[in-house]
Amino acid sequence: MKPAIVRNIERPDADLVRRLGEAECRDCGNVGEPAVVTSAVDIASDAGDGMTAPGLAEEVEQALARKPSRTARTSPLEEAVRILHRGRHYLWSSVYLLVGDRLVRAASLGPENTCDSMELSEGIVGRAARTGVPQTVADVSSDPDYRAAVPQTACEFAAPIKIAAHVFGVLNVESAEAGALGSEDRVLIKSAAGRLARFLSGGGKYLMRKAAELGPARVTPFRPMKQQPRSAAPKDMRAAAGAKTRP
């Protein structure tokens, strides 16, 4: 499917907003819930590398649909994270899979950290898995549940990877700019999380088994890092890219 291009428009495309909203609800298994998209202008803004949110979601779908190869250097989960991370220029992007009562990191891109696993009671990611509800934190310094894995993080969005009430894990993205994760990011990440859930319930079951096998080796206490003062935190790649393109 050719991605819809909504750049250089002055008025919201009501049909595009409706279709994206329906796709979001369908992918998340929350049909009937109101979409968070407010206008096609929001959808077109800040798209990384010229790729729209629908285009990135389609890329994730295609990556998950490819047949596994023994020679592949990355897993489908790692490829999905790579598409989202580079397409939207997030500071930190990750997938955590639920193994028993812990979340085990299965894929990530961004600054190195030691957060390989965590309990359901820990952090924004843990809260998303525990409640089964997407978590939007515009300013992590104001959220008592936040645990710093990446010191530069200023805002975070975590979407449960689930079908109905069955939670497989969490798709999480972070930015170094407070409030930078807007409606387009939320629609995209929730849609991608829905696609990941369908994959993990079907052809990707082997990755859940692999996580369960590796999980015990990654059971280490989560040691939050000291968060950088806001003034010292460098802006992420997307903020820098936007500054170059905006008048």
Side-chain angles (χ1 to χ4, degrees):
M1 182 180 70
K2 185 178 180 180
I5 303 298
V6 295
R7 289 183 175 280
N8 302 320
I9 57 177
E10 296 181 357
R11 291 193 224 175
D13 182 333
D15 182 60
L16 176 61
V17 172
R18 177 184 59 77
R19 285 188 287 113
L20 272 178
E22 289 176 352
E24 172 201 349
C25 292
R26 183 172 61 252
D27 290 339
C28 294
N30 298 329
V31 177
E33 291 187 4
V36 297
V37 186
T38 57
S39 75
V41 173
D42 290 334
I43 296 169
S45 66
D46 294 334
D49 298 335
M51 179 68 75
T52 63
L56 290 170
E58 183 64 20
E59 271 202 61
V60 169
E61 183 78 27
Q62 292 172 359
L64 297 176
R66 296 189 191 107
K67 292 183 178 180
S69 170
R70 292 182 179 179
T71 60
R73 295 183 178 181
T74 59
S75 75
L77 295 182
E78 291 170 328
E79 182 63 15
V81 166
R82 182 194 67 80
I83 291 168
L84 297 170
H85 185 82
R86 295 183 179 178
R88 296 295 295 166
H89 302 298
Y90 296 124
L91 170 69
W92 168 257
S93 310
S94 58
V95 168
Y96 284 83
L97 297 181
L98 184 59
V99 178
D101 59 355
R102 294 189 69 85
L103 289 159
V104 177
R105 183 168 64 178
S108 62
L109 271 179
E112 292 186 8
N113 66 71
T114 59
C115 186
D116 289 330
S117 70
M118 67 183 76
E119 296 181 359
L120 292 178
S121 60
E122 295 180 309
I124 309 303
V125 172
R127 191 168 72 197
R130 186 174 68 252
T131 63
V133 176
Q135 302 294 316
T136 304
V137 183
D139 184 352
V140 296
S141 65
S142 66
D143 194 308
D145 286 341
Y146 176 69
R147 298 293 183 270
V150 179
Q152 302 97 317
T153 295
C155 69
E156 181 174 359
F157 181 69
I161 300 171
K162 68 171 186 172
I163 293 179
H166 187 141
V167 176
F168 295 90
V170 176
L171 174 58
N172 181 68
V173 295
E174 302 176 16
S175 171
E177 184 179 7
L181 301 174
S183 61
E184 181 181 7
D185 295 291
R186 296 194 296 271
V187 170
L188 172 61
I189 299 307
K190 289 167 70 176
S191 176
R195 295 164 195 258
L196 288 170
R198 291 198 299 273
F199 169 71
L200 291 169
S201 67
K205 285 182 179 179
Y206 71 96
L207 291 172
M208 294 298 297
R209 291 194 295 269
K210 183 177 179 180
E213 293 170 359
L214 295 177
R218 295 187 176 184
V219 176
T220 56
F222 174 34
R223 296 182 176 86
M225 301 180 70
K226 185 177 181 181
Q227 190 177 9
Q228 288 187 1
R230 186 60 46 80
S231 59
K235 290 187 176 181
D236 56 25
M237 293 174 62
R238 183 173 59 167
K244 295 179 180 178
T245 57
R246 292 174 188 166

mmCIF file of all heavy atoms in Angstrom, residues 116-163:
data_model
loop_
_atom_site.group_PDB
_atom_site.id
_atom_site.type_symbol
_atom_site.label_atom_id
_atom_site.label_comp_id
_atom_site.label_asym_id
_atom_site.label_seq_id
_atom_site.Cartn_x
_atom_site.Cartn_y
_atom_site.Cartn_z
ATOM 1 N N ASP A 116 18.219 -4.106 31.156
ATOM 2 C CA ASP A 116 17.879 -5.293 30.381
ATOM 3 C C ASP A 116 16.548 -5.894 30.806
ATOM 4 O O ASP A 116 15.903 -6.597 30.020
ATOM 5 C CB ASP A 116 18.976 -6.348 30.514
ATOM 6 C CG ASP A 116 20.250 -5.946 29.788
ATOM 7 O OD1 ASP A 116 20.147 -5.227 28.772
ATOM 8 O OD2 ASP A 116 21.342 -6.331 30.234
ATOM 9 N N SER A 117 16.141 -5.654 32.036
ATOM 10 C CA SER A 117 14.864 -6.191 32.506
ATOM 11 C C SER A 117 14.376 -5.350 33.680
ATOM 12 O O SER A 117 15.139 -4.591 34.287
ATOM 13 C CB SER A 117 15.011 -7.657 32.926
ATOM 14 O OG SER A 117 15.766 -7.765 34.120
ATOM 15 N N MET A 118 13.089 -5.485 33.964
ATOM 16 C CA MET A 118 12.505 -4.737 35.080
ATOM 17 C C MET A 118 11.249 -5.450 35.570
ATOM 18 O O MET A 118 10.646 -6.253 34.840
ATOM 19 C CB MET A 118 12.155 -3.308 34.656
ATOM 20 C CG MET A 118 11.034 -3.222 33.635
ATOM 21 S SD MET A 118 10.715 -1.520 33.097
ATOM 22 C CE MET A 118 12.103 -1.277 31.985
ATOM 23 N N GLU A 119 10.858 -5.162 36.793
ATOM 24 C CA GLU A 119 9.617 -5.693 37.334
ATOM 25 C C GLU A 119 8.446 -4.855 36.839
ATOM 26 O O GLU A 119 8.617 -3.708 36.413
ATOM 27 C CB GLU A 119 9.666 -5.674 38.859
ATOM 28 C CG GLU A 119 10.741 -6.585 39.446
ATOM 29 C CD GLU A 119 10.747 -6.568 40.960
ATOM 30 O OE1 GLU A 119 9.913 -5.831 41.541
ATOM 31 O OE2 GLU A 119 11.561 -7.278 41.560
ATOM 32 N N LEU A 120 7.255 -5.416 36.906
ATOM 33 C CA LEU A 120 6.059 -4.707 36.447
ATOM 34 C C LEU A 120 5.778 -3.463 37.284
ATOM 35 O O LEU A 120 5.068 -2.566 36.847
ATOM 36 C CB LEU A 120 4.844 -5.636 36.479
ATOM 37 C CG LEU A 120 4.847 -6.794 35.474
ATOM 38 C CD1 LEU A 120 3.607 -7.643 35.652
ATOM 39 C CD2 LEU A 120 4.940 -6.274 34.052
ATOM 40 N N SER A 121 6.341 -3.421 38.463
ATOM 41 C CA SER A 121 6.107 -2.276 39.351
ATOM 42 C C SER A 121 7.062 -1.120 39.062
ATOM 43 O O SER A 121 6.961 -0.066 39.694
ATOM 44 C CB SER A 121 6.269 -2.708 40.807
ATOM 45 O OG SER A 121 7.588 -3.208 41.041
ATOM 46 N N GLU A 122 7.979 -1.307 38.113
ATOM 47 C CA GLU A 122 9.019 -0.313 37.873
ATOM 48 C C GLU A 122 8.782 0.495 36.605
ATOM 49 O O GLU A 122 8.543 -0.065 35.530
ATOM 50 C CB GLU A 122 10.386 -0.992 37.779
ATOM 51 C CG GLU A 122 10.836 -1.650 39.063
ATOM 52 C CD GLU A 122 12.200 -2.317 38.915
ATOM 53 O OE1 GLU A 122 12.380 -3.100 37.973
ATOM 54 O OE2 GLU A 122 13.078 -2.045 39.767
ATOM 55 N N GLY A 123 8.861 1.812 36.741
ATOM 56 C CA GLY A 123 8.908 2.695 35.594
ATOM 57 C C GLY A 123 7.622 2.852 34.798
ATOM 58 O O GLY A 123 6.592 2.241 35.094
ATOM 59 N N ILE A 124 7.712 3.674 33.760
ATOM 60 C CA ILE A 124 6.582 3.928 32.871
ATOM 61 C C ILE A 124 6.283 2.685 32.044
ATOM 62 O O ILE A 124 5.122 2.350 31.790
ATOM 63 C CB ILE A 124 6.887 5.123 31.943
ATOM 64 C CG1 ILE A 124 7.362 6.338 32.755
ATOM 65 C CG2 ILE A 124 5.667 5.467 31.108
ATOM 66 C CD1 ILE A 124 6.401 6.796 33.814
ATOM 67 N N VAL A 125 7.336 1.983 31.609
ATOM 68 C CA VAL A 125 7.162 0.758 30.839
ATOM 69 C C VAL A 125 6.425 -0.289 31.671
ATOM 70 O O VAL A 125 5.489 -0.943 31.194
ATOM 71 C CB VAL A 125 8.524 0.222 30.364
ATOM 72 C CG1 VAL A 125 8.381 -1.155 29.723
ATOM 73 C CG2 VAL A 125 9.142 1.188 29.353
ATOM 74 N N GLY A 126 6.838 -0.448 32.914
ATOM 75 C CA GLY A 126 6.164 -1.390 33.797
ATOM 76 C C GLY A 126 4.704 -1.029 34.007
ATOM 77 O O GLY A 126 3.830 -1.908 34.042
ATOM 78 N N ARG A 127 4.420 0.253 34.127
ATOM 79 C CA ARG A 127 3.034 0.701 34.328
ATOM 80 C C ARG A 127 2.176 0.404 33.105
ATOM 81 O O ARG A 127 1.005 0.025 33.236
ATOM 82 C CB ARG A 127 3.019 2.196 34.656
ATOM 83 C CG ARG A 127 1.664 2.697 35.150
ATOM 84 C CD ARG A 127 1.819 4.092 35.718
ATOM 85 N NE ARG A 127 2.048 5.093 34.673
ATOM 86 C CZ ARG A 127 2.533 6.308 34.906
ATOM 87 N NH1 ARG A 127 2.875 6.654 36.151
ATOM 88 N NH2 ARG A 127 2.708 7.170 33.925
ATOM 89 N N ALA A 128 2.752 0.582 31.909
ATOM 90 C CA ALA A 128 2.009 0.293 30.681
ATOM 91 C C ALA A 128 1.650 -1.185 30.600
ATOM 92 O O ALA A 128 0.532 -1.551 30.223
ATOM 93 C CB ALA A 128 2.826 0.714 29.466
ATOM 94 N N ALA A 129 2.606 -2.051 30.964
ATOM 95 C CA ALA A 129 2.346 -3.488 30.935
ATOM 96 C C ALA A 129 1.356 -3.892 32.023
ATOM 97 O O ALA A 129 0.469 -4.726 31.805
ATOM 98 C CB ALA A 129 3.647 -4.254 31.093
ATOM 99 N N ARG A 130 1.492 -3.311 33.198
ATOM 100 C CA ARG A 130 0.662 -3.671 34.348
ATOM 101 C C ARG A 130 -0.797 -3.270 34.145
ATOM 102 O O ARG A 130 -1.721 -4.018 34.482
ATOM 103 C CB ARG A 130 1.226 -2.995 35.603
ATOM 104 C CG ARG A 130 0.554 -3.402 36.902
ATOM 105 C CD ARG A 130 1.279 -2.791 38.084
ATOM 106 N NE ARG A 130 1.157 -1.345 38.179
ATOM 107 C CZ ARG A 130 2.128 -0.474 37.937
ATOM 108 N NH1 ARG A 130 3.323 -0.906 37.578
ATOM 109 N NH2 ARG A 130 1.931 0.825 38.054
ATOM 110 N N THR A 131 -1.009 -2.089 33.564
ATOM 111 C CA THR A 131 -2.376 -1.579 33.387
ATOM 112 C C THR A 131 -2.967 -1.930 32.034
ATOM 113 O O THR A 131 -4.189 -1.914 31.876
ATOM 114 C CB THR A 131 -2.391 -0.051 33.539
ATOM 115 O OG1 THR A 131 -1.589 0.538 32.496
ATOM 116 C CG2 THR A 131 -1.838 0.366 34.895
ATOM 117 N N GLY A 132 -2.101 -2.220 31.045
ATOM 118 C CA GLY A 132 -2.591 -2.477 29.694
ATOM 119 C C GLY A 132 -3.062 -1.224 28.999
ATOM 120 O O GLY A 132 -3.761 -1.287 27.985
ATOM 121 N N VAL A 133 -2.644 -0.066 29.508
ATOM 122 C CA VAL A 133 -3.087 1.225 28.967
ATOM 123 C C VAL A 133 -1.864 2.031 28.527
ATOM 124 O O VAL A 133 -0.864 2.101 29.260
ATOM 125 C CB VAL A 133 -3.864 2.023 30.036
ATOM 126 C CG1 VAL A 133 -4.248 3.405 29.516
ATOM 127 C CG2 VAL A 133 -5.104 1.244 30.469
ATOM 128 N N PRO A 134 -1.902 2.670 27.334
ATOM 129 C CA PRO A 134 -0.771 3.499 26.894
ATOM 130 C C PRO A 134 -0.467 4.595 27.903
ATOM 131 O O PRO A 134 -1.377 5.184 28.496
ATOM 132 C CB PRO A 134 -1.259 4.087 25.563
ATOM 133 C CG PRO A 134 -2.273 3.114 25.073
ATOM 134 C CD PRO A 134 -2.968 2.602 26.302
ATOM 135 N N GLN A 135 0.818 4.883 28.087
ATOM 136 C CA GLN A 135 1.260 5.869 29.063
ATOM 137 C C GLN A 135 1.964 7.024 28.360
ATOM 138 O O GLN A 135 2.997 6.835 27.724
ATOM 139 C CB GLN A 135 2.200 5.229 30.081
ATOM 140 C CG GLN A 135 1.605 4.058 30.829
ATOM 141 C CD GLN A 135 0.456 4.461 31.734
ATOM 142 O OE1 GLN A 135 0.542 5.476 32.439
ATOM 143 N NE2 GLN A 135 -0.612 3.683 31.726
ATOM 144 N N THR A 136 1.401 8.218 28.480
ATOM 145 C CA THR A 136 1.995 9.426 27.915
ATOM 146 C C THR A 136 2.554 10.278 29.043
ATOM 147 O O THR A 136 1.818 10.665 29.948
ATOM 148 C CB THR A 136 0.953 10.252 27.141
ATOM 149 O OG1 THR A 136 0.346 9.440 26.140
ATOM 150 C CG2 THR A 136 1.596 11.461 26.484
ATOM 151 N N VAL A 137 3.845 10.557 29.002
ATOM 152 C CA VAL A 137 4.479 11.386 30.034
ATOM 153 C C VAL A 137 5.205 12.524 29.324
ATOM 154 O O VAL A 137 6.289 12.339 28.773
ATOM 155 C CB VAL A 137 5.462 10.576 30.899
ATOM 156 C CG1 VAL A 137 6.039 11.461 32.007
ATOM 157 C CG2 VAL A 137 4.769 9.358 31.499
ATOM 158 N N ALA A 138 4.583 13.701 29.321
ATOM 159 C CA ALA A 138 5.151 14.852 28.609
ATOM 160 C C ALA A 138 6.404 15.381 29.286
ATOM 161 O O ALA A 138 7.295 15.933 28.635
ATOM 162 C CB ALA A 138 4.105 15.962 28.481
ATOM 163 N N ASP A 139 6.481 15.214 30.616
ATOM 164 C CA ASP A 139 7.649 15.667 31.389
ATOM 165 C C ASP A 139 7.935 14.617 32.444
ATOM 166 O O ASP A 139 7.228 14.511 33.453
ATOM 167 C CB ASP A 139 7.355 17.023 32.036
ATOM 168 C CG ASP A 139 8.565 17.583 32.782
ATOM 169 O OD1 ASP A 139 9.574 16.853 32.922
ATOM 170 O OD2 ASP A 139 8.502 18.742 33.232
ATOM 171 N N VAL A 140 8.959 13.804 32.220
ATOM 172 C CA VAL A 140 9.225 12.678 33.115
ATOM 173 C C VAL A 140 9.595 13.123 34.527
ATOM 174 O O VAL A 140 9.415 12.367 35.486
ATOM 175 C CB VAL A 140 10.337 11.771 32.550
ATOM 176 C CG1 VAL A 140 9.892 11.134 31.245
ATOM 177 C CG2 VAL A 140 11.641 12.540 32.351
ATOM 178 N N SER A 141 10.084 14.348 34.668
ATOM 179 C CA SER A 141 10.472 14.824 35.996
ATOM 180 C C SER A 141 9.271 15.001 36.917
ATOM 181 O O SER A 141 9.423 15.093 38.136
ATOM 182 C CB SER A 141 11.232 16.149 35.883
ATOM 183 O OG SER A 141 10.397 17.178 35.388
ATOM 184 N N SER A 142 8.065 15.032 36.325
ATOM 185 C CA SER A 142 6.854 15.221 37.129
ATOM 186 C C SER A 142 6.138 13.912 37.435
ATOM 187 O O SER A 142 5.106 13.912 38.106
ATOM 188 C CB SER A 142 5.892 16.160 36.400
ATOM 189 O OG SER A 142 5.418 15.562 35.195
ATOM 190 N N ASP A 143 6.664 12.791 36.962
ATOM 191 C CA ASP A 143 6.003 11.497 37.161
ATOM 192 C C ASP A 143 6.762 10.686 38.212
ATOM 193 O O ASP A 143 7.923 10.325 38.002
ATOM 194 C CB ASP A 143 5.947 10.724 35.844
ATOM 195 C CG ASP A 143 4.988 9.548 35.908
ATOM 196 O OD1 ASP A 143 5.107 8.727 36.840
ATOM 197 O OD2 ASP A 143 4.114 9.448 35.025
ATOM 198 N N PRO A 144 6.111 10.361 39.320
ATOM 199 C CA PRO A 144 6.805 9.644 40.401
ATOM 200 C C PRO A 144 7.211 8.222 40.022
ATOM 201 O O PRO A 144 8.104 7.654 40.668
ATOM 202 C CB PRO A 144 5.770 9.636 41.532
ATOM 203 C CG PRO A 144 4.447 9.800 40.840
ATOM 204 C CD PRO A 144 4.719 10.683 39.679
ATOM 205 N N ASP A 145 6.589 7.642 38.996
ATOM 206 C CA ASP A 145 6.927 6.280 38.582
ATOM 207 C C ASP A 145 8.137 6.229 37.656
ATOM 208 O O ASP A 145 8.673 5.150 37.399
ATOM 209 C CB ASP A 145 5.739 5.621 37.866
ATOM 210 C CG ASP A 145 4.637 5.212 38.818
ATOM 211 O OD1 ASP A 145 4.928 5.102 40.031
ATOM 212 O OD2 ASP A 145 3.506 5.009 38.366
ATOM 213 N N TYR A 146 8.559 7.383 37.153
ATOM 214 C CA TYR A 146 9.641 7.385 36.170
ATOM 215 C C TYR A 146 10.950 6.915 36.781
ATOM 216 O O TYR A 146 11.318 7.309 37.887
ATOM 217 C CB TYR A 146 9.828 8.783 35.579
ATOM 218 C CG TYR A 146 11.006 8.862 34.622
ATOM 219 C CD1 TYR A 146 10.966 8.220 33.393
ATOM 220 C CD2 TYR A 146 12.170 9.540 34.979
ATOM 221 C CE1 TYR A 146 12.047 8.254 32.532
ATOM 222 C CE2 TYR A 146 13.260 9.596 34.109
ATOM 223 C CZ TYR A 146 13.196 8.940 32.893
ATOM 224 O OH TYR A 146 14.258 8.971 32.046
ATOM 225 N N ARG A 147 11.649 6.046 36.043
ATOM 226 C CA ARG A 147 12.971 5.587 36.432
ATOM 227 C C ARG A 147 13.909 5.835 35.257
ATOM 228 O O ARG A 147 13.661 5.353 34.152
ATOM 229 C CB ARG A 147 12.954 4.090 36.781
ATOM 230 C CG ARG A 147 12.049 3.742 37.961
ATOM 231 C CD ARG A 147 12.594 4.330 39.257
ATOM 232 N NE ARG A 147 11.768 3.947 40.391
ATOM 233 C CZ ARG A 147 10.728 4.643 40.826
ATOM 234 N NH1 ARG A 147 10.380 5.759 40.201
ATOM 235 N NH2 ARG A 147 10.024 4.236 41.857
ATOM 236 N N ALA A 148 14.970 6.587 35.482
ATOM 237 C CA ALA A 148 15.848 7.012 34.390
ATOM 238 C C ALA A 148 16.782 5.895 33.940
ATOM 239 O O ALA A 148 17.693 5.506 34.663
ATOM 240 C CB ALA A 148 16.655 8.240 34.808
ATOM 241 N N ALA A 149 16.539 5.387 32.724
ATOM 242 C CA ALA A 149 17.478 4.452 32.103
ATOM 243 C C ALA A 149 18.417 5.221 31.189
ATOM 244 O O ALA A 149 19.572 4.852 31.022
ATOM 245 C CB ALA A 149 16.723 3.391 31.308
ATOM 246 N N VAL A 150 17.892 6.309 30.588
ATOM 247 C CA VAL A 150 18.684 7.192 29.735
ATOM 248 C C VAL A 150 18.618 8.586 30.358
ATOM 249 O O VAL A 150 17.541 9.198 30.397
ATOM 250 C CB VAL A 150 18.125 7.221 28.294
ATOM 251 C CG1 VAL A 150 18.941 8.158 27.419
ATOM 252 C CG2 VAL A 150 18.117 5.813 27.700
ATOM 253 N N PRO A 151 19.708 9.114 30.859
ATOM 254 C CA PRO A 151 19.686 10.382 31.601
ATOM 255 C C PRO A 151 19.120 11.563 30.828
ATOM 256 O O PRO A 151 18.551 12.476 31.419
ATOM 257 C CB PRO A 151 21.168 10.613 31.940
ATOM 258 C CG PRO A 151 21.793 9.269 31.872
ATOM 259 C CD PRO A 151 21.056 8.525 30.801
ATOM 260 N N GLN A 152 19.249 11.563 29.490
ATOM 261 C CA GLN A 152 18.805 12.712 28.700
ATOM 262 C C GLN A 152 17.295 12.763 28.486
ATOM 263 O O GLN A 152 16.767 13.752 27.995
ATOM 264 C CB GLN A 152 19.485 12.696 27.323
ATOM 265 C CG GLN A 152 20.998 12.724 27.372
ATOM 266 C CD GLN A 152 21.582 11.331 27.247
ATOM 267 O OE1 GLN A 152 21.090 10.391 27.851
ATOM 268 N NE2 GLN A 152 22.638 11.205 26.458
ATOM 269 N N THR A 153 16.593 11.691 28.833
ATOM 270 C CA THR A 153 15.157 11.621 28.546
ATOM 271 C C THR A 153 14.382 12.724 29.243
ATOM 272 O O THR A 153 14.544 12.962 30.436
ATOM 273 C CB THR A 153 14.592 10.255 28.963
ATOM 274 O OG1 THR A 153 15.190 9.241 28.163
ATOM 275 C CG2 THR A 153 13.084 10.201 28.786
ATOM 276 N N ALA A 154 13.496 13.378 28.461
ATOM 277 C CA ALA A 154 12.623 14.413 29.018
ATOM 278 C C ALA A 154 11.149 14.019 28.921
ATOM 279 O O ALA A 154 10.338 14.442 29.740
ATOM 280 C CB ALA A 154 12.844 15.745 28.305
ATOM 281 N N CYS A 155 10.785 13.245 27.883
ATOM 282 C CA CYS A 155 9.405 12.768 27.779
ATOM 283 C C CYS A 155 9.407 11.351 27.230
ATOM 284 O O CYS A 155 10.381 10.901 26.610
ATOM 285 C CB CYS A 155 8.551 13.699 26.926
ATOM 286 S SG CYS A 155 8.956 13.723 25.176
ATOM 287 N N GLU A 156 8.305 10.639 27.466
ATOM 288 C CA GLU A 156 8.255 9.208 27.158
ATOM 289 C C GLU A 156 6.836 8.804 26.786
ATOM 290 O O GLU A 156 5.860 9.338 27.306
ATOM 291 C CB GLU A 156 8.735 8.419 28.379
ATOM 292 C CG GLU A 156 8.762 6.916 28.210
ATOM 293 C CD GLU A 156 9.383 6.205 29.415
ATOM 294 O OE1 GLU A 156 9.815 6.904 30.372
ATOM 295 O OE2 GLU A 156 9.447 4.964 29.406
ATOM 296 N N PHE A 157 6.735 7.842 25.871
ATOM 297 C CA PHE A 157 5.439 7.249 25.539
ATOM 298 C C PHE A 157 5.613 5.743 25.463
ATOM 299 O O PHE A 157 6.494 5.239 24.765
ATOM 300 C CB PHE A 157 4.892 7.769 24.211
ATOM 301 C CG PHE A 157 3.552 7.184 23.853
ATOM 302 C CD1 PHE A 157 2.426 7.527 24.585
ATOM 303 C CD2 PHE A 157 3.427 6.281 22.814
ATOM 304 C CE1 PHE A 157 1.182 6.976 24.277
ATOM 305 C CE2 PHE A 157 2.193 5.726 22.497
ATOM 306 C CZ PHE A 157 1.074 6.077 23.223
ATOM 307 N N ALA A 158 4.794 5.013 26.207
ATOM 308 C CA ALA A 158 4.874 3.560 26.257
ATOM 309 C C ALA A 158 3.512 2.972 25.913
ATOM 310 O O ALA A 158 2.510 3.315 26.536
ATOM 311 C CB ALA A 158 5.313 3.087 27.642
ATOM 312 N N ALA A 159 3.481 2.088 24.904
ATOM 313 C CA ALA A 159 2.233 1.459 24.477
ATOM 314 C C ALA A 159 2.298 -0.035 24.722
ATOM 315 O O ALA A 159 3.259 -0.693 24.296
ATOM 316 C CB ALA A 159 1.985 1.730 22.996
ATOM 317 N N PRO A 160 1.311 -0.596 25.414
ATOM 318 C CA PRO A 160 1.316 -2.045 25.626
ATOM 319 C C PRO A 160 1.150 -2.786 24.304
ATOM 320 O O PRO A 160 0.379 -2.371 23.447
ATOM 321 C CB PRO A 160 0.118 -2.273 26.553
ATOM 322 C CG PRO A 160 -0.778 -1.096 26.320
ATOM 323 C CD PRO A 160 0.134 0.052 26.015
ATOM 324 N N ILE A 161 1.888 -3.855 24.134
ATOM 325 C CA ILE A 161 1.740 -4.743 22.977
ATOM 326 C C ILE A 161 0.743 -5.796 23.415
ATOM 327 O O ILE A 161 1.075 -6.701 24.198
ATOM 328 C CB ILE A 161 3.099 -5.371 22.606
ATOM 329 C CG1 ILE A 161 4.110 -4.279 22.256
ATOM 330 C CG2 ILE A 161 2.949 -6.350 21.455
ATOM 331 C CD1 ILE A 161 5.537 -4.800 22.100
ATOM 332 N N LYS A 162 -0.497 -5.687 22.959
ATOM 333 C CA LYS A 162 -1.524 -6.573 23.498
ATOM 334 C C LYS A 162 -2.611 -6.867 22.479
ATOM 335 O O LYS A 162 -2.814 -6.125 21.515
ATOM 336 C CB LYS A 162 -2.162 -5.952 24.742
ATOM 337 C CG LYS A 162 -3.007 -4.708 24.457
ATOM 338 C CD LYS A 162 -3.781 -4.281 25.696
ATOM 339 C CE LYS A 162 -4.737 -3.139 25.375
ATOM 340 N NZ LYS A 162 -5.620 -2.827 26.502
ATOM 341 N N ILE A 163 -3.303 -7.979 22.710
ATOM 342 C CA ILE A 163 -4.525 -8.331 21.995
ATOM 343 C C ILE A 163 -5.571 -8.583 23.060
ATOM 344 O O ILE A 163 -5.397 -9.463 23.907
ATOM 345 C CB ILE A 163 -4.335 -9.572 21.109
ATOM 346 C CG1 ILE A 163 -3.372 -9.269 19.955
ATOM 347 C CG2 ILE A 163 -5.668 -10.052 20.557
ATOM 348 C CD1 ILE A 163 -3.116 -10.443 19.041
#
